[in-house]
Amino acid sequence: MTVLTQHRPGEQHCNLFTLVRHRRQDSLGPWASEPSKIWAREDLGKGLRLFSLDASLEHCQALVDHIVESATLAIDGIQIDYALESTPRRHWAYRDYRGLADASMPSPFTHHSAELIEYRSLALEPHKHWLDMLDSHRGQAPLQLSRLGFQLDRLTDRVGNLMIAGAEDAIASELVAQHDRTLRLLIDADELLPGAYRATVWASHGGDEVLRREIPVTQAQTAIELASDVDHIGFAMFRTDDGQCIDLMEAYLIMGIGGQIKVDSGPTLQFHDRRGHLIHEVNPAGTISRFHVHYDAESVELDKGIRQRWLDRRVREREAAARREGNFERFQPAAFDDAARYIVGLLRQECDQKTPVYLADPYFVTELANNAGTNLNLKKLCLDIFAATASTPLRILCAKKKEQQVEPPPWWSALPKQLTAHVSVRAFLSRDGKAAGFHDRYLITARREIVITHSINGWHKDGVTFASLPYDVYRAEAERLWSMGVGSATADLLVAAIDGVTR
């Protein structure tokens, strides 16, 4: 049993995730002798603490019953608070070795699928705090969560939950691909009644099914001959009496590995100052030795070509789907009017009168404002953007080149108030005054987060691409910047409001 808690000064420990893992087969362990039933404790930093206990399933179940009844767990004098729904959900988790594949929750066991009993938590604060902690931890060494036995950093919808996972290990199975175009289903079980299980094995190459076959499950390994190379394999095993799938495994195969090692034998030149201190060193190009290692060199060229064509088709299909859904659009320099209609159309469709729209463009005040006075197309676009968002707060984030004693009024300050009353513009200036301090370009509506590749004033020259993202990364960034408030002075930025539109 493992318990991950969060502790903040002046508050009780709260549960972030509790996991009970148990094996159904006593002969498989996990202990050679009786478990100690002593809690071990590990501090992970940032207020995180991991408690772990080796005990019998009966002992852990008693602890779970107490948690569900009292919403607390005491460990060595430390009280841990829980917020669980009283009715558990029962579901299954299977093995999946496909990395970032969009699949259900993978099994907490490496070699077995699992039947899960899960008590869900709908409390908002632990979930929000966990996400904030993950955001602040980016770029640092990953959290040491391996002993937790669960990928809570990826499966954040499980924060606050309590889960009991029972390994389906009455029968151990594995599917292995051989380089002689053979699949082998390996079965290991103490007792295996004839006909007790059945299995379906599948394999594909380049998106085309090469194999899908139902085979009997026996303790002897079953070999299946293939007609071509494969890059994706899997199997599912079912109990015959009730048809329940007790094990499922999928994996992508590495078709080839190419590597190159370079050994530079050129001299190293060192530069010293007059006192003999080393100030710089360079390595002029010299003789370079190369070693090339290629794996699976005997792969048939036809299969390689088929797979490459399939990958190319997937790229085109994804791009076409993104265009159909309005998630990706590219406009050439000569298509400024089309780009303008596209962004205005998005705004008209997705303004909902409550959720603010964020438009980030570092040159909205500088080059754009200056050019809009003489470039009719730019001025029309700004007017259309103001009009399309008239019923929704429009928050524009931009940059300033330098801080001025007296800010000249922007060109739009003379516009009617009914066109600009909903618009606020904030500019960000680096404290050193040498750089703009803000460089991103994006549009955030109630339902979309769209990256814009070029500033509006450059669409004539460079064209522009709009790409929707599913991550809400820029939304969080925009809200953080806006929350700094006018006049804020952080370690890096100064925040100013642009007179003429801010209300």
Side-chain angles (χ1 to χ4, degrees):
M1 182 174 184
T2 54
V3 181
L4 180 66
T5 69
Q6 172 70 47
H7 174 65
R8 288 183 282 184
E11 299 182 8
Q12 294 277 19
H13 284 73
C14 71
N15 170 63
L16 288 180
F17 190 75
T18 296
L19 176 63
V20 177
R21 294 195 301 170
H22 66 96
R23 307 282 295 273
R24 300 186 186 278
Q25 298 299 300
D26 293 336
S27 61
L28 298 179
W31 309 284
S33 58
E34 284 296 315
S36 63
K37 297 183 182 180
I38 298 176
W39 285 99
R41 182 189 311 179
E42 182 180 358
D43 289 321
L44 304 181
K46 294 184 177 293
L48 299 179
R49 185 170 292 178
L50 182 64
F51 300 89
S52 57
L53 171 72
D54 288 341
S56 66
L57 177 60
E58 291 76 14
H59 183 82
C60 293
Q61 185 63 59
L63 294 177
V64 171
D65 294 341
H66 176 77
I67 291 171
V68 174
E69 181 180 350
S70 66
T72 61
L73 173 65
I75 299 178
D76 298 337
I78 297 175
Q79 179 176 308
I80 302 169
D81 292 336
Y82 286 76
L84 302 175
E85 299 296 311
S86 59
T87 303
R89 297 178 68 251
R90 296 175 181 267
H91 54 103
W92 289 76
Y94 298 102
R95 291 184 285 163
D96 195 326
Y97 305 125
R98 294 176 295 166
L100 298 178
D102 185 14
S104 58
M105 189 184 74
S107 172
F109 300 94
T110 304
H111 300 294
H112 305 283
S113 296
E115 187 175 10
L116 305 179
I117 301 173
E118 187 172 12
Y119 293 86
R120 299 298 297 255
S121 172
L122 302 181
L124 296 178
E125 183 58 28
H127 183 262
K128 180 180 182 300
H129 188 75
W130 176 251
L131 295 179
D132 291 342
M133 190 276 298
L134 290 180
D135 289 340
S136 67
H137 201 72
R138 284 177 183 162
Q140 303 177 36
L143 294 171
Q144 299 300 313
L145 297 177
S146 58
R147 185 160 177 77
L148 176 63
F150 191 84
Q151 296 177 321
L152 192 62
D153 52 341
R154 289 184 55 188
L155 301 169
T156 57
D157 59 317
R158 259 60 191 193
V159 171
N161 293 3
L162 184 153
M163 181 183 296
I164 304 172
E168 287 296 316
D169 53 6
I171 178 172
S173 50
E174 201 68 47
L175 185 64
V176 179
Q178 304 289 337
H179 290 297
D180 58 356
R181 288 186 176 177
T182 303
L183 292 181
R184 285 180 168 81
L185 181 63
L186 309 178
I187 301 297
D188 184 15
D190 289 339
E191 294 184 12
L192 187 61
L193 298 177
Y197 301 94
R198 58 187 176 86
T200 300
V201 180
W202 60 85
S204 63
H205 179 268
D208 298 325
E209 272 205 355
V210 175
L211 171 77
R212 185 169 291 273
R213 183 180 303 172
E214 185 171 320
I215 63 174
V217 176
T218 63
Q219 281 194 271
Q221 69 173 5
T222 304
I224 305 173
E225 301 298 325
L226 300 171
S228 74
D229 286 345
V230 295
D231 53 23
H232 171 221
I233 63 174
F235 78 93
M237 187 171 297
F238 303 87
R239 285 194 299 251
T240 303
D241 58 353
D242 61 1
Q244 174 63 48
C245 178
I246 64 166
D247 197 12
L248 183 148
M249 183 274 284
E250 284 195 82
Y252 291 134
L253 303 180
I254 298 176
M255 299 298 292
I257 298 176
Q260 192 176 78
I261 301 175
K262 294 183 179 181
V263 180
D264 194 336
S265 59
T268 299
L269 301 181
Q270 296 183 339
F271 296 84
H272 299 79
D273 60 18
R274 292 182 178 180
R275 296 183 178 180
H277 297 145
L278 178 65
I279 58 175
H280 191 49
E281 61 182 22
V282 297
N283 296 98
T287 303
I288 297 178
S289 301
R290 289 183 173 89
F291 303 89
H292 187 71
V293 180
H294 190 78
Y295 178 73
D296 197 16
E298 298 179 357
S299 180
V300 180
E301 289 299 322
L302 175 61
D303 284 323
K304 287 184 176 181
I306 290 173
R307 176 171 169 75
Q308 187 58 53
R309 289 293 181 87
W310 171 68
L311 291 173
D312 293 342
R313 174 173 63 82
R314 287 188 66 190
V315 171
R316 289 193 297 272
E317 287 177 346
R318 288 176 177 177
E319 182 174 326
R323 289 182 183 276
R324 287 194 301 271
E325 297 168 2
N327 293 331
F328 175 84
E329 201 68 49
R330 168 66 180 163
F331 297 95
Q332 298 297 326
F336 178 91
D337 292 340
D338 293 335
R341 281 192 291 271
Y342 177 82
I343 191 172
V344 172
L346 283 178
L347 291 170
R348 291 189 182 280
Q349 294 172 13
E350 304 200 7
C351 292
D352 69 352
Q353 301 183 3
K354 295 181 180 179
T355 305
V357 171
Y358 291 94
L359 175 62
D361 188 327
Y363 298 113
F364 194 86
V365 170
T366 55
E367 280 80 357
L368 177 59
N370 296 332
N371 294 334
T374 57
N375 189 312
L376 186 59
N377 286 336
L378 285 176
K379 190 170 186 177
K380 287 181 178 179
L381 175 56
C382 291
L383 294 175
D384 289 340
I385 290 175
F386 291 165
T389 58
S391 60
T392 303
L394 173 61
R395 298 175 176 179
I396 299 175
L397 301 94
C398 56
K400 294 176 66 177
K401 284 187 174 181
K402 60 182 179 178
E403 196 169 16
Q404 298 177 329
Q405 294 293 332
V406 179
E407 295 286 350
W411 64 270
W412 59 80
S413 59
L415 295 176
K417 289 186 177 181
Q418 59 264 36
L419 193 60
T420 62
H422 66 294
V423 181
S424 300
V425 181
R426 289 186 183 171
F428 299 85
L429 173 70
S430 291
R431 289 184 63 86
D432 57 13
K434 296 179 181 179
F438 183 85
H439 303 282
D440 292 327
R441 300 160 180 85
Y442 52 79
L443 172 67
I444 299 174
T445 69
R447 294 185 293 277
R448 298 193 188 214
E449 178 179 283
I450 302 170
V451 173
I452 305 174
T453 57
H454 292 83
S455 292
I456 295 175
N457 67 298
W459 292 3
H460 284 98
K461 178 181 177 182
D462 302 312
V464 63
T465 298
F466 302 91
S468 294
L469 298 178
Y471 308 118
D472 277 351
V473 173
Y474 281 105
R475 185 186 306 276
E477 177 70 5
E479 292 174 349
R480 182 188 69 83
L481 289 170
W482 203 265
S483 67
M484 291 167 61
V486 176
S488 297
T490 68
D492 303 315
L493 297 173
L494 299 174
V495 186
I498 305 301
D499 293 335
V501 293
T502 303
R503 300 288 182 266

